[in-house]
Amino acid sequence: MAIALTPFRGLCGFRPVQEILDFLSDVPELLALVGPDSVQDLRSGASDPDQTRVNLKNCFSRMMRSNRDDVQTQLRRLEQRLRGEGVSPGEGVSPGEGVSPGEGVSPGEGVSPGEGVSEGVSPVKKLLLDLHAQFPGDIGCFCIFFLNLVELQPGQAMFLRANEIHAYLSGDCVEVMACSDNTVRAGLTPKFLDVETLCSMLDYSPGPAHSKLFPCRRDDHDPNATLYDPPIDDFSVIRIQVPEGAPYTVAALDSGSILLVVSGSARCPGHDDITLRRGSVLFLSANHSLPLEVTSSLELFRACCLL
């Protein structure tokens, strides 16, 4: 789960097949890496969900396994062509975790289908120039034509299902993951790459960008709390916002939880050595509450299991 703290951009999951086919028709440099035979298979099998996943895996894997010299050549050609068409870089990207599979979930506040989602070709082509400037010659630059581009505003969230490919591009977020012993990367990062493992393990189910947004809701028992409760048992997240001077008690839960303060400050009565401020992290044991004296408008996130 990735919950935006600032305006946030990321890639998540495979686009609908028709969007991918449109890019393959519009971007000859991408077609050169995927191959016309693979594209024809993807087009002809689009009505069969099982066959679509097989053909999408073949298209994506062929691109990811492309010879590095070919990738660099096609990226240079694409960059030159886009600049010749008058496409300029977009909003820029900041180093994230690169192209890797997800294992969590995410929510968004007041999200309706289509909201917060980048549509059209222009934003993607601008993003291509941004990525190529930071990661020249990287195969991950071509991934944007296969993956959904999602934009979040603070409080909105993105849910990453198990083995769902994603990349964080820009902005700050609170990320919560289920327990995992693997992170597999294949592009847009200086870290170790394992293309073969990534291509073999991914979920190749296509879907629209708005399906990756996850709605949150107000806690029925706490007007200061917003609940992000994904459809998994591993974790939930509670966003707590308390104005300065208001009394507040972090309620006891049946599970242990981790508190992360992102702004404001508070004292913990009875614990003179504990002052919460931006960046503070606190573990709260199961069945324990925590009274707070809020000295500056407080915002914190609580990761827990709602048993």
Side-chain angles (χ1 to χ4, degrees):
M1 180 186 296
I3 305 172
L5 296 177
T6 65
F8 185 87
R9 306 176 83 202
L11 303 172
C12 184
F14 288 97
R15 295 175 176 273
V17 169
Q18 188 56 54
E19 290 185 19
I20 297 172
L21 289 172
D22 289 344
F23 278 122
L24 286 163
S25 298
D26 186 64
V27 184
E29 298 83 1
L30 174 65
L31 177 62
L33 298 179
V34 174
D37 293 342
S38 297
V39 175
Q40 181 55 40
D41 289 343
L42 182 62
R43 190 182 306 276
S44 61
S47 60
D48 183 338
D50 291 335
Q51 191 60 46
T52 290
R53 286 190 286 271
V54 172
N55 293 336
L56 182 54
K57 178 179 181 180
N58 184 47
C59 286
F60 184 75
S61 299
R62 285 195 61 175
M63 181 193 74
M64 294 300 295
R65 295 179 180 128
S66 297
N67 178 276
R68 182 170 178 79
D69 290 340
D70 292 341
V71 172
Q72 292 177 339
T73 296
Q74 296 302 334
L75 278 174
R76 284 194 299 268
R77 290 177 179 173
L78 178 54
E79 179 186 30
Q80 292 170 0
R81 183 168 65 82
L82 292 181
R83 293 188 183 279
E85 294 174 359
V87 178
S88 58
E91 300 175 358
V93 296
S94 58
E97 278 302 307
V99 178
S100 59
E103 301 177 79
V105 185
S106 282
E109 185 172 358
V111 177
S112 58
E115 182 182 348
V117 177
S118 292
E119 298 290 353
V121 173
S122 182
V124 177
K125 290 184 175 181
K126 289 175 181 290
L127 178 59
L128 184 285
L129 296 181
D130 288 329
L131 291 174
H132 190 238
Q134 288 200 22
F135 302 95
D138 193 306
I139 186 60
C141 296
F142 278 113
C143 288
I144 62 176
F145 300 116
F146 277 88
L147 308 183
N148 288 303
L149 175 59
V150 180
E151 296 185 349
L152 305 177
Q153 295 303 313
Q156 293 183 321
M158 183 167 58
F159 173 46
L160 314 173
R161 296 184 181 277
N163 298 327
E164 186 160 45
I165 189 169
H166 71 283
Y168 297 159
L169 301 177
S170 63
D172 297 324
C173 73
V174 170
E175 183 185 48
V176 183
M177 296 178 60
C179 291
S180 170
D181 61 358
N182 71 327
T183 299
V184 183
R185 302 178 179 88
L188 304 182
T189 177
K191 299 178 181 179
F192 175 75
L193 306 181
D194 190 344
V195 172
E196 292 301 322
T197 298
L198 181 115
C199 289
S200 67
M201 70 184 292
L202 290 178
D203 181 349
Y204 287 92
S205 301
H210 66 75
S211 68
K212 309 307 174 185
L213 305 182
F214 187 79
C216 59
R217 60 179 175 84
R218 290 295 178 184
D219 191 315
D220 295 335
H221 306 290
D222 184 349
N224 298 104
T226 304
L227 177 62
Y228 299 81
D229 191 19
I232 57 173
D233 296 330
D234 302 72
F235 62 82
S236 298
V237 177
I238 303 172
R239 181 188 186 190
I240 299 172
Q241 297 168 290
V242 187
E244 181 178 344
Y248 187 77
T249 297
V250 180
L253 295 175
D254 292 336
S255 72
S257 55
I258 299 172
L259 307 180
L260 171 63
V261 180
V262 298
S263 65
S265 60
R267 291 190 294 267
C268 305
H271 303 276
D272 294 338
D273 57 336
I274 297 179
T275 298
L276 300 182
R277 56 176 60 90
R278 176 180 170 85
S280 295
V281 179
L282 186 68
F283 178 78
L284 188 61
S285 300
N287 303 313
H288 281 72
S289 60
L290 181 67
L292 298 177
E293 293 179 355
V294 179
T295 54
S296 177
S297 295
L298 185 69
E299 180 178 13
L300 60 85
F301 288 82
R302 182 182 193 182
C304 57
C305 290
L306 297 180
L307 304 176

